[in-house]
Structures are given as C-alpha cells and as structure tokens.
Amino acid sequence: MSYLLEVSGLEKAYGGVKAVNGVSFRVKEQTIFSVIGPNGAGKTTLFNLLTGIERPDSGSILFHEDQLVGLPPFKVALKGISRTFQNLQIFFNMSVVENVMVGCHRLGNASMLSAIFRLPSMLREERLIRHKALKALEFCGMSQMRDKPADSLPYGQLKKLEIARALASEPHLVLLDEPAAGLNDTETVELSELIKKLVENGITVLLVEHNMGLVMDISDEVLVLNYGELLAMGTPSAIQKDPKVVAAYLGEE
Amino acid sequence: MRLLGLGIFAAVIAILPLLFPENYYVTVVGVTMFFNVILAVGLNLFMGYAGQISLGHAAFFGLGAYSSAILTTKFGFNPWLAMGAGVALVWIVSYLVAKPILRLKGHYLAMATLGFGIIIHIFLVQYDTLTGGPDGLSSIPELSIFGWPINSDLRWYAVSATVMLLSILFSLNIVASRHGRALQAVHGSEVAAETMGIDTSRVKVHIFVISAVMAAVTGSLFVHEQAFISPDSCSFFFSIELVTMVVLGGMASTFGAVFGAAILTYLPEFLVVFQDFKVLIFGGILMFIMIFLPEGLFVGLCRLFTHFKQEQKECLTS
Amino acid sequence: MYEQLLQYLITGITVGSAYALVGLGFAIIYNASDVVNFAQGEFVMIGAMSAIFLNAAGIPYVLSIALAVAITAAVGMALEKFAIEPARNASVVSTIIITIGASILLRGAALLIWGKDIYGLKPFTGEETIHIGPATLLPQNLWVMGCTAVSVFLVKYFFDRTRTGKAILACSYNKRAAYLVGINVKKMLLISYGLSACLGAVAGILIAPITFFTYNAGVMLGLKGFSAAILGGMGNPMGAVAGGLMLGLLESIGAGLISSGYKDAIAFIIILLVLFLKPSGLFGKSSWERV
C-alpha cells in the first residue's frame, strides 16, 4: 500500500511561537484525511506549508515520493495538488466559468505567440479547457450559473466555486480549508456528498473543518492539532474516544 | 462575433480619410491618436488586466524613439534596422528591470516604476553628446516600405492605423487565452493564481515586457513621423497621461483603453483654451473617475447600456 | 577634498532637512490612513508659493508665512475630505491614482494662478555668508536646519505626549478599535492630513529663499520625500527623517563627485537599489497576503 503524501517533522515558527511543531503524518490514496483542532492550532499554516505558500523551518513533505519543500506554490500545484481557501480567494474580476478555466491552467501549454495569433493548436486546447471547466462545474452542480460574474454569486455558491476550480486542475490531492464554514444544513449535506464523490473519482482529500458532524461522518482518518502539535491521530471513532482530545476540546469549549 | 467591435472600428477608420482626405483632425491628429491607442492598449494589459501599476511607461516609448533617432542620424542605420535594434534594447532593458521591480507591490511598485522613468528621462536630457540634450534630435530620415516612402499624412495614417488595429487584435487575442486568464487571475488573487499552477512572477514579467515592446515600436514610429524627438515627449507627465487614458476608458477593457486614448488626444485639440488648463483637467479626470467611476467611462457606459437593454427586455416580457 | 566635503555636508543637510519634513508628512498620512499621498510635494509648492505671493502683495513677512502654512493645511484637509474619504474602500492602485490626480490638479491650479515664472522668497534674516573654515553657508541654511529640528521635535512631542496625537496613533493601529473606544476617527484623519500639509508648507517656506520655486517644483520634492520615507522604512516617522537627511547627503556628495546634472538620478538609483535589494525588509516578513 503506497502513501500519496508523507509529511515528517514539519516545523514552522513565527517569532517565538511555533505554529506547527514537529508534525508527521501519512495520507493514503483515495481517502479523506481530516485535520481538526481549536482555532489557532496551526491548521491553515499546515495547509500553507503543504502548498508552498509558506516555507517550513524544517521537515519534509513527500508527494508521490517527490520532495515538495522549497518549491514555489505554482510548482506544487503543477504536481497535482490543489486547494481552496478559508477566506475566499475567488477571482472576482472574472465570470464563473473563467474562474474554473483558470483552474485548468496546468492542463494547457499553448504559448503566448500561439495565443496572439490564435493558432489552431491553441484553439483546440481552449475548447478542451472549456469543456473540462464545464464538466467541473457540472460535477459541483453549478452549470446554470456558468456565465454569471463571480461577484454576483452568494457565499455558499462561492465556496462551491472554489471547489470546482480546484477540481478543474484534475488534481491527485485536494486540500479543502473549512469548506463548510458559513454553510447552512442543506448546503453542508450537499457538500459532504460532493466530497465523497471526489474520492469515488480517484481524488484524495485533505480536509480542515470545524463541523465535527461532517468530519466524523466522512473521514477515513482524523488528525488533531493543538498548539501546533499533533495531539492524536486515528479513525473518527478512535478520536472521539481519545481522552486527550476530549480534554482539549472540553477544556476549550 | 468576437471581433465585431474591432471590425466596426476598422471600417470607420478606413472610411474617415476617404470622406475627409485633407482634414487636419483626421489625418494628423488621427495619427497621434493611433500612437496613443497602441501605448494605452499595451499599458492596459499590464495595469488593467494584470492589476499592476506603472508610472514610468513613457521611458520605454522614449528608449524606442531615441534608439531610432540616434542610430539613424548618428550612425547611418537603415530605419528598420534601427527600429529592430531599439525594440531589442527595450526588450532586454524591460526584462532586466521587470525581474526586481515586479516583486514589488502597490506603493513600492509605483515608486520603482516612477523612479525608473525619471532616471531614463534624466539620462536623455544629460547625455547630450548622444541625445542632443533638452533640444533633442531632428532631421530623422523617413521610413519606407519596399521603396514606398511613408511621406504624407495619408500614408502615415494608413501605416499607423494598421499597426494600431493589429495591436488591438493582439490584445484581444491575448485576453481571450489562457495567458489572458492568468493575467486576470493575478489581478483577482495572486495567491489563488499561484495555487492554480500559474507562475505569477513570470506572467507579470511577460506582460510588462510585451507592453514595453509595444511602447518601443510606437516610439520608433513616432520619431519617424515627427522627424524630431525631445525629452519632453517621454517625460513623467506623459507616463501619467498614459495612465489617465487607461483609467478614463476603464481598466481591463481593451476598447476602454482605445476610448480613453481617443478622448485624451482630441480633447486638447478641440479646446484651444485647454492648453493652460490641460494639467488641471487631467488631474481632475483622474480623481473624478477613480473616486466616482472606478470602472471607467467606457466600461461604465457599456454597463449602463446593457442594463438599459435588459430593462427594456424585462418590460417587454412582463 | 576635505573643504569640498564640508560644503557638500552643509548643502546635503539643508536639502535633506526639506526631504525629512516631506518624508515625515508621508509617514504621518501613511500611518493614519494607509495611503501614500503622492500630492505631498504639492504641499511644499503651495506653502512656498503662497508665502511668496502673500508677501509680495504687501502682507508682513511673518504673517504671510503663517497664512501660507494655514492655506496649505486647509488644502491638505480638503484633499482628505473630498478625495480620500469618498474613496476609502478603493484598492491601493486606485488610491495611488487618486493622489496622483490630486497632485496634478493642484499643480494645474498653481499654473493658472501663478503662471510658469520662477520666484524666490526673501531670506528670513540677512544674506551675509558665514565662513566655517573653507566652507560657506547662508543664515538661511541655519534657519532650515534649526526649524526642521524644532518641527521634528514638536511632531514627536505631539504623538508621544498629547491626547490627540495618541488618538491618531490609535487609529493607525486599529481604526475599528479606536472608533469603539470613542475616538473620532474621521477627525483624526483630517488632522493628520492637515498636520502633514503643514510640514510640507514649512519645508517649502524654509528652502524657498535658497532654491527657486515654480508651479511644478513640488514634483521632485514630493518624490524625494517619498524616497526618504521608504529609506527609513515606510510608516516609521523618525526613520523618514533620518532617511531624508541621508538622501540629501548622498545626493549632494554624489552630485559633487559625479555631475550635478545627474543629482536627481542618483537619488532615484539609490531608491531603486533599496527597493530591489531589501524588498523583504520593507515589506515585513512575507509578501503573500494572509490566507
């Protein structure tokens, strides 16, 4: 059994504060791996380290046995890792389908010259990208709003748009940063169906989420972070019974 | 359908000199306007689409212009060869400058591009053995295409219009490609663009070099058309004029840039008293548009028009 | 060599004092409103030109200076009220364009009012040159240095010791929190712009007897002031003062050693080098926005 992602001894400090402190874990292919923990536990920092937005002080991140540490974010993305953001990072200056087509960027390679002269090869590639973008929108149930400007969408749809955009790059691994935050119950149910469908389609999901119901329901494995350190890791049912986790959460809430 | 606007614009430009062959506003000011359009369309790719700022764009225009002027008058270069050399120079210079400059954002980027523009301007004024100093250079030879000299207003009109239409076409093509989407993604959210696999610094450098090269070509054409160049033509104020054109028309709209360039070329021509007011009015336009119409006049008008049409439709259907 | 160096030092500190005051003005506005005010140089021009013309119109010297400072402060506050406040949600690029528009507008207005001629102001006291060893200086040089020192001290006192000054600082740290503890944020912004305009006017009036003024003299002074603010680390008022003095010195030494025609180019090359080589230091830790 091979692991898609192997993280070991990851550390990142800001000033004197260790946001991520010696975290190690492995993610199996085609599973849902969740990271939970109180606010400020270092979850988003972990995501930023994994996607190259920030550079770890030490540790290693192996993806398909390739070292990711030190790569700029766009190179990490080119390897097939895609993500969404806790506070939306939508391209509000573009339409819905264009947002998703940006997600397909890594699938194309038409040069600037072929774009300037609109060569047939470039047009063929454009058609393919558009087709893939529309498929990603359809997958997320957003086909009907494809031509709307992104800034006209309600919050729940924007969250889904980020997922569609992440999917469009045909990633092996998707990082979802609090996808359920701000969603109502129906939308949350839809979201959990969507995430399960991702895995069925061969994608591995890394999930940061505060909605415990959702996490426990869909995860194959759960990692608990507390003050940047790994507190516990295991199946949802094991985590729910872990006294350290209970203490950390009860102590906090 | 995609090129409908460009087609109509090209038709109008083709018909105008047939109707008014001797009209100063068509054949003389028209050429100036075409040059400004190329500059504004190029700058708009960098400012409007990629969401960056350049307050020193006139420097590239100046480098292109002076390269042609110096190489043809002092070194006897063939004008086309000189133009090629000027474009190559600007290509290299803009590429070298772009790398460090485009790591900067916001105020720092504004300051760095502005500083670059001023340094080039000072160099053009001070290095008088080569550039002719504040007086500039004159008697620059004319251009000719395979023995067909471009020596009349109408011929310049045809040549500059062709180059301008091509630059608009290229700009529209770039925008409607994955490279155009990458530009807009950089504008929308740099961090998201990176995580979608876009090398944002490379995208910015590319578009900066493209718009600089467009400015260099324009500068070179300008110098042959005027047969004269002085540092005044590429001053800090000209950089600001170019920004005003882009902002007035509406950022992130190629035809917005065309519109802005056209208005700001003709406005001073039609109002004779405008000369003294020019500075005041340019400043006023910049402030007014940015505060009250940040989308720009052209884009704002377009939106108003489609909104109106939609309302009409709703009235008809309900 | 030594004698020239002393002369460069005197010139450099004099010019640098003006840059320091303009840079200080930049820092104050940047702190209060996150706006880099590209119209800062116009305050310098308006201060100097108003003083020159009021004095020429027969108003007593000291009174015309006071009036000129007041006029400039009013212009600064008007800028905040009518251009910055209505666009408070605009992007960085938009606010840059707005303040550039404001600077051009003010310059255009100055062109209409005062024309393109060159003017100078009578020195504060006497025109007899003072000899210090091999170097010479005018009484006005001493006025420039002295008044700059006093102004900087007053600004520091204002922010460290007075209630209003502390309130402005509070706004610069967190506008919302300042608002919640009952600080009138709008008023504080207005005061910041007024104060910053005053500093510009003072700089202009101080150097008007040494360098001549035209309607477009503010461009370079403003840009040098901005450079001073960047050199000292944006948003650090005392850093801006140090940056201004440093820039003035480097410029005058560079002009002396290379060529005075390239004086301005030297200043901008320094700024570009600082921006290129230490962008991280100027940005803080990371250039990525928080996600």
Side-chain angles (χ1 to χ4, degrees):
Chain A
M1 181 70 216
S2 70
Y3 291 96
L4 183 66
L5 183 72
E6 294 181 67
V7 174
S8 52
L10 211 56
E11 282 189 27
K12 176 77 185 175
Y14 298 106
V17 184
K18 294 212 161 166
V20 171
N21 191 2
V23 172
S24 305
F25 61 92
R26 298 192 286 195
V27 181
K28 280 189 204 131
E29 220 156 322
Q30 259 191 291
T31 57
I32 299 176
F33 187 99
S34 292
V35 180
I36 62 171
N39 281 326
K43 303 179 301 272
T44 294
T45 305
L46 178 65
F47 267 26
N48 286 348
L49 295 175
L50 292 176
T51 46
I53 290 173
E54 289 178 67
R55 210 191 160 117
D57 300 331
S58 64
S60 111
I61 305 166
L62 293 178
F63 178 70
H64 279 314
E65 291 167 4
D66 283 346
Q67 183 59 255
L68 295 188
V69 170
L71 293 184
F74 81 92
K75 284 202 174 148
V76 173
L78 292 180
K79 301 231 175 225
I81 298 182
S82 190
R83 72 172 285 186
T84 67
F85 296 87
Q86 184 187 340
N87 54 352
L88 294 169
Q89 295 287 333
I90 295 282
F91 308 123
F92 284 113
N93 50 341
M94 302 166 91
S95 74
V96 168
V97 69
E98 281 170 340
N99 262 275
V100 183
M101 284 167 85
V102 173
C104 299
H105 190 86
R106 83 176 185 108
L107 307 174
N109 60 6
S111 68
M112 184 65 98
L113 274 184
S114 71
I116 289 178
F117 295 108
R118 285 187 93 70
L119 300 181
S121 61
M122 173 266 176
L123 291 175
R124 222 176 301 129
E125 186 186 285
E126 267 308 272
R127 273 196 299 275
L128 185 73
I129 283 179
R130 197 176 171 83
H131 176 72
K132 289 190 173 181
L134 291 176
K135 256 185 32 195
L137 277 175
E138 195 188 322
F139 191 89
C140 298
M142 297 183 73
S143 296
Q144 70 283 3
M145 49 197 79
R146 62 182 188 204
D147 292 320
K148 286 196 175 165
D151 58 9
S152 70
L153 258 54
Y155 184 77
Q157 297 292 346
L158 290 174
K159 292 229 112 172
K160 266 209 282 194
L161 175 56
E162 279 215 341
I163 298 178
R165 186 178 67 184
L167 280 187
S169 67
E170 301 185 351
H172 303 291
L173 175 67
V174 171
L175 281 63
L176 303 176
D177 197 350
E178 299 200 18
L183 299 190
N184 63 31
D185 288 350
T186 349
E187 285 170 331
T188 308
V189 172
E190 276 174 30
L191 175 73
S192 89
E193 292 308 315
L194 185 62
I195 296 175
K196 283 189 234 167
K197 219 162 71 175
L198 288 181
V199 179
E200 282 161 23
N201 279 272
I203 296 174
T204 308
V205 176
L206 205 59
L207 177 70
V208 160
E209 187 47 65
H210 277 299
N211 184 326
M212 285 308 140
L214 177 69
V215 168
M216 297 306 167
D217 186 32
I218 64 173
S219 304
D220 294 295
E221 205 168 352
V222 178
L223 183 157
V224 188
L225 274 184
N226 198 20
Y227 296 111
E229 287 183 27
L230 192 151
L231 190 68
M233 187 157 57
T235 60
S237 53
I239 288 295
Q240 276 167 310
K241 284 180 223 138
D242 191 312
K244 280 184 293 184
V245 178
V246 175
Y249 268 85
L250 289 183
E252 195 219 11
E253 279 169 44
Chain B
M1 196 52 217
R2 195 176 67 86
L3 299 177
L4 185 67
L6 183 60
I8 295 171
F9 186 55
V12 171
I13 285 172
I15 291 168
L16 273 178
L18 299 177
L19 297 179
F20 312 98
E22 296 292 321
N23 189 307
Y24 166 80
Y25 292 107
V26 174
T27 57
V28 178
V29 187
V31 174
T32 310
M33 173 195 136
F34 297 158
F35 288 152
N36 284 338
V37 167
I38 307 171
L39 293 168
V41 164
L43 184 59
N44 180 50
L45 284 172
F46 181 69
M47 275 186 62
Y49 284 102
Q52 309 296 306
I53 187 164
S54 171
L55 302 180
H57 212 57
F60 298 118
F61 174 82
L63 285 176
Y66 269 95
S67 300
S68 275
I70 292 168
L71 291 176
T72 53
T73 58
K74 307 229 160 173
F75 299 94
F77 269 52
N78 169 294
W80 293 108
L81 197 61
M83 186 186 289
V87 166
L89 173 78
V90 167
W91 196 302
I92 294 165
V93 169
S94 62
Y95 186 77
L96 292 179
V97 182
K99 288 244 154 179
I101 275 192
L102 295 177
R103 279 197 311 210
L104 307 170
K105 286 191 174 70
H107 314 307
Y108 298 99
L109 178 62
M111 184 65 206
T113 51
L114 193 161
F116 170 74
I118 290 180
I119 290 170
I120 297 290
H121 185 251
I122 293 172
F123 169 79
L124 293 177
V125 174
Q126 293 296 329
Y127 199 18
D128 48 11
T129 48
L130 211 54
T131 64
D135 299 332
L137 293 166
S138 51
S139 352
I140 290 145
E142 64 191 18
L143 271 182
S144 64
I145 304 173
F146 300 119
W148 182 71
I150 312 170
N151 55 6
S152 69
D153 289 347
L154 268 179
R155 286 181 180 190
W156 266 112
Y157 183 93
V159 170
S160 56
T162 310
V163 177
M164 173 194 68
L165 291 171
L166 279 177
S167 72
I168 296 175
L169 176 68
F170 291 167
S171 166
L172 291 172
N173 285 352
I174 289 175
V175 171
S177 75
R178 67 193 279 270
H179 297 283
R181 285 193 299 274
L183 286 181
Q184 296 176 69
V186 167
H187 188 178
S189 162
E190 212 163 297
V191 80
E194 276 273 334
T195 52
M196 295 299 126
I198 296 171
D199 185 348
T200 53
S201 52
R202 189 154 161 249
V203 165
K204 289 192 276 185
V205 169
H206 267 179
I207 208 64
F208 187 75
V209 171
I210 287 178
S211 72
V213 164
M214 284 170 78
V217 172
T218 318
S220 178
L221 288 173
F222 173 84
V223 105
H224 288 293
E225 193 245 352
Q226 299 279 315
F228 167 76
I229 182 76
S230 81
D232 286 346
S233 307
C234 35
S235 62
F236 171 56
F237 191 72
F238 189 51
S239 290
I240 301 297
E241 271 189 71
L242 294 176
V243 171
T244 316
M245 288 172 193
V246 173
V247 167
L248 173 65
M251 297 215 243
S253 156
T254 301
F255 278 105
V258 176
F259 178 86
I263 290 208
L264 290 187
T265 312
Y266 278 99
L267 211 56
E269 292 287 339
F270 280 125
L271 301 164
V272 184
V273 284
F274 194 73
Q275 272 316 321
D276 266 0
F277 286 83
K278 184 175 168 181
V279 184
L280 185 80
I281 291 181
F282 270 62
I285 289 175
L286 270 181
M287 287 178 76
F288 182 85
I289 296 285
M290 266 313 150
I291 296 172
F292 299 107
L293 255 178
E295 284 186 312
L297 206 53
F298 182 77
V299 178
L301 285 176
C302 283
R303 190 155 295 199
L304 210 67
F305 182 68
T306 45
H307 185 73
F308 177 70
K309 264 203 329 205
Q310 223 147 38
E311 261 181 13
Q312 246 181 353
K313 232 187 264 168
E314 276 160 24
C315 285
L316 289 174
T317 49
S318 64
Chain C
M1 183 63 212
Y2 162 75
E3 37 208 276
Q4 277 169 336
L5 204 64
L6 190 63
Q7 192 66 55
Y8 298 151
L9 216 66
I10 292 168
T11 324
I13 292 180
T14 309
V15 186
S17 298
Y19 298 163
L21 288 179
V22 184
L24 186 56
F26 265 110
I28 290 171
I29 287 186
Y30 182 76
N31 274 344
S33 60
D34 290 325
V35 168
V36 166
N37 175 24
F38 279 89
Q40 196 74 23
E42 309 314 316
F43 295 155
V44 183
M45 178 272 294
I46 291 171
M49 292 294 261
S50 309
I52 291 166
F53 271 81
L54 290 170
N55 190 37
I59 295 171
Y61 196 73
V62 177
L63 186 62
S64 62
I65 287 177
L67 274 175
V69 174
I71 290 171
T72 315
V75 171
M77 290 198 250
L79 174 70
E80 199 281 330
K81 188 82 200 154
F82 299 113
I84 305 298
E85 210 201 294
R88 61 187 168 280
N89 296 324
S91 68
V92 176
V93 170
S94 302
T95 52
I96 292 172
I97 295 173
I98 289 171
T99 59
I100 285 179
S103 90
I104 294 173
L105 184 87
L106 292 172
R107 207 180 307 157
L111 173 65
L112 288 180
I113 300 170
W114 294 311
K116 287 185 175 165
D117 296 333
I118 297 168
Y119 302 95
L121 185 66
K122 206 172 66 188
F124 289 13
T125 54
E127 288 180 68
E128 268 169 64
T129 49
I130 304 165
H131 293 271
I132 300 180
T136 59
L137 79 167
L138 295 165
Q140 190 67 25
N141 290 73
L142 295 174
W143 277 109
V144 174
M145 297 172 200
C147 291
T148 301
V150 172
S151 305
V152 170
F153 174 77
L154 285 177
V155 167
K156 197 162 164 44
Y157 180 85
F158 174 71
F159 282 111
D160 286 351
R161 296 289 157 83
T162 67
R163 239 180 115 73
T164 316
K166 284 181 184 170
I168 293 177
L169 281 183
C171 293
S172 72
Y173 292 130
N174 188 333
K175 280 198 185 55
R176 198 166 159 69
Y179 174 77
L180 288 174
V181 297
I183 292 172
N184 185 341
V185 176
K186 277 188 182 174
K187 194 172 133 198
M188 294 307 142
L189 280 180
L190 218 51
I191 294 176
S192 310
Y193 276 75
L195 176 63
S196 163
C198 281
L199 287 170
V202 169
I205 292 164
L206 284 174
I207 58 166
I210 301 175
T211 53
F212 295 106
F213 265 84
T214 61
Y215 77 100
N216 65 4
V219 187
M220 271 299 158
L221 285 164
L223 295 177
K224 301 282 179 60
F226 184 19
S227 306
I230 289 180
L231 266 180
M234 208 64 209
N236 174 357
M238 291 308 129
V241 173
L245 291 173
M246 215 157 80
L247 192 66
L249 279 174
L250 286 171
E251 201 182 282
S252 104
I253 293 170
L257 295 183
I258 303 166
S259 149
S260 61
Y262 285 102
K263 184 184 69 151
D264 293 332
I266 293 166
F268 285 105
I269 288 171
I270 292 168
I271 268 317
L272 282 187
L273 286 179
V274 170
L275 286 174
F276 290 174
L277 299 178
K278 262 191 73 92
S280 61
L282 299 165
F283 274 126
K285 281 204 180 58
S286 159
S287 64
W288 291 107
E289 55 261 61
R290 241 190 103 62
V291 290

